[in-house]
Amino acid sequence: MDYTVKLDEALTRLHDEGRYRTFIDIERKQGQFPHATWTRPDGTETPITVWCGNDYLGMGQHPVVLNAMHDAVDATGAGSGGTRNISGTTVYHKQLEAELADLHGKEAALLFTSAYIANDATLSTLPKLFPGLIIYSDALNHASMIEGVRRNGGDKRIFRHNDVAHLRELLESDDPNAPKLIAFESVYSMDGDFGPIEKICDLAEEFGALTYIDEVHAVGMYGPRGGGVTERDNLAHRIDIINGTLAKAYGVMGGYIAASAKMCDAVRSYAPGFIFTTSLPPSVAAGAAASVAHLKTDQDLRDQHQMQAKILKMRLKGLGLPIIDHGTHIVPVIVGNPVHTKKLSDMLLENHGIYVQPINFPTVPRGTERLRFTPSPVHGPGEIDALVHAMDELWSHCALNRAELAG
C-alpha cells in the first residue's frame, strides 16, 4: 500500500468539502486582550481582535492569576515531575481541588489535565464501578463524553437533544434494576442552548439513575459564585458528578469532576486516564485556584459578560443576520455552507483584522455551518462596532440571505 497516497486522499477530501482546518498563528497581548498579533504565512505581522476565544472573562491576563502563577514558578519550578500517584501531587493541586469542591458544594473534586480527559476517563471508568451500567447520553454531548461512553464497554442509549420525553421512553424500556446514569450538558456550545437540568434530575430520581453534567461552558460565568447553571438554578445538590474546565472562563488549563468523596476516590483509583498521566504543572494549578477563588466574588465581571453578549446579539439581529439566541453568552451566526463559512472567516481576518474560526461538520451538522462569536467583558464598544460593520459589509458582499432569528 502507498500510505502517502492514502494520506493525500484523506486530506484532499477535507479540502474539497471546505472543511480543511488551518492554524492561525497568533500572539495574545497580555493586558490588551482581546487584541493580538497575527503572523501571516509570509511572515508579516498584523494586529487583530480575537472573537472566538474561550477565555470568556479575560482571566488569562488577570493579575490575580498571573501573580499566583509567577509565585508558584519561583517556589517550585516548571513541571510537576510525575503522575499524581508518583511525586506529582503538590499543595497547589490539593488547594485547587478544595476550591473546586467548595465551588460546587461537593465533598471532593478530582483534577485532570483537561476537561476532555476528565469526561473520557470518568465515563469510560464508571461501568467498572457499576457493572451493567446503562448510560443515557444526549445526542449533542461533547465529543469527549461521546468517546468515554463509546469505549466503556457498557450499554448506551442516545436520547434526542434536550428531549425529556424520549429520555423517559428509553428509561422505561430498560431493566428497572439495572444501574443507570444520565449524561448531559448545562450549556451546549454550538447552539448556545441550556439543558433541561431540573426535568432530567426529576427523571433520574424517578428511575434511580445517577446524573452526570458537563458544565464546561458555564463554570465561572453562571451562578452567584460561578458554579455554573446548576448553582444558578439551585440544582447542584441533585447532580452526582459535575464536570468542568479551567481552560475557558478561568483562563488557565485543566479539567475536573466534583462529586462525593467516594466517587472521586473510586475514579482516581480505577481510571487509566488519571493514573497514568503526568499532573498539571504546579504553576498552572496555582493560577487556576486563584482564578476560581477570585470569580467566587466577582459578580460584576459576570454581569459585564452577559451584557456584552446581549448587545452583540441585539446588533446582529438588527442587521437581519440568522443568529441563534437561546439566552446564553454564545453567539452563533448560521451561514449554512462550509465554503462560504471559510470564505467569510478568511475575509474577516485578512481584510478587517477580526479572527473567528469557521465551525463546520462534524462539529455541527451539515447545512448548519456557522461563525461562532464569544464576546467577553474586554470586548468594548469599539470592537463590537468594528465586528458589526464588517459582518454587514461581508454579508452583502457574499450575497447571503438576511433571515429571521434561527432560534
Side-chain angles (χ1 to χ4, degrees), residues 117-139:
I117 297 299
N119 272 332
D120 185 12
T122 302
L123 288 168
S124 62
T125 296
L126 289 174
K128 301 176 186 176
L129 308 176
F130 308 104
L133 180 70
I134 303 170
I135 296 183
Y136 303 81
S137 179
D138 187 286

Side-chain angles (χ1 to χ4, degrees), residues 182 199-211 237-238:
I182 305 171
K199 292 179 180 179
I200 288 179
C201 288
D202 289 343
L203 275 184
E205 290 179 6
E206 180 180 346
F207 288 90
L210 296 170
T211 48
H237 64 286
R238 300 183 66 185

Side-chain angles (χ1 to χ4, degrees), residues 2 26 47 55 60 95 159 164 179 206 213 238 252 263 267 276 287 324 330 345 365 380 389:
D2 190 329
I26 67 170
D55 187 354
Q95 178 190 0
F159 61 94
V164 179
E206 180 180 346
I213 194 167
R238 300 183 66 185
V252 192
M263 182 71 77
V267 173
F276 298 107
I324 298 176
I330 295 168
S345 173
H389 293 149

Side-chain angles (χ1 to χ4, degrees), residues 304-319:
Q304 293 172 33
H305 181 222
Q306 291 295 323
M307 181 57 66
Q308 295 302 80
K310 288 178 181 177
I311 290 171
L312 180 59
K313 285 188 281 191
M314 178 183 67
R315 295 196 59 183
L316 292 176
K317 287 178 185 178
L319 298 177

Side-chain angles (χ1 to χ4, degrees), residues 172-309:
E172 288 176 338
S173 67
D174 282 318
D175 181 355
N177 296 317
K180 301 174 178 67
L181 179 139
I182 305 171
F184 62 110
E185 300 183 28
S186 62
V187 175
Y188 290 85
S189 61
M190 288 301 110
D191 284 353
D193 55 335
F194 291 106
I197 302 173
E198 186 171 16
K199 292 179 180 179
I200 288 179
C201 288
D202 289 343
L203 275 184
E205 290 179 6
E206 180 180 346
F207 288 90
L210 296 170
T211 48
Y212 184 108
I213 194 167
D214 179 311
E215 286 255 44
V216 300
H217 288 281
V219 289
M221 297 173 287
Y222 296 87
R225 299 196 311 156
V229 181
T230 51
E231 185 196 29
R232 184 197 70 179
D233 296 347
N234 194 30
L235 294 169
H237 64 286
R238 300 183 66 185
I239 300 293
D240 293 293
I241 304 173
I242 296 175
N243 168 276
T245 185
L246 303 165
K248 292 182 170 61
Y250 292 118
V252 192
M253 182 183 177
Y256 64 90
I257 60 168
S260 68
K262 286 186 178 180
M263 182 71 77
C264 289
D265 193 23
V267 173
R268 174 188 74 84
S269 301
Y270 280 86
F274 177 87
I275 296 170
F276 298 107
T277 299
T278 298
S279 65
L280 288 172
S283 59
V284 172
S291 186
V292 172
H294 176 84
L295 284 177
K296 288 177 180 177
T297 63
D298 197 342
Q299 184 59 39
D300 287 344
L301 200 58
R302 279 188 282 279
D303 291 341
Q304 293 172 33
H305 181 222
Q306 291 295 323
M307 181 57 66
Q308 295 302 80

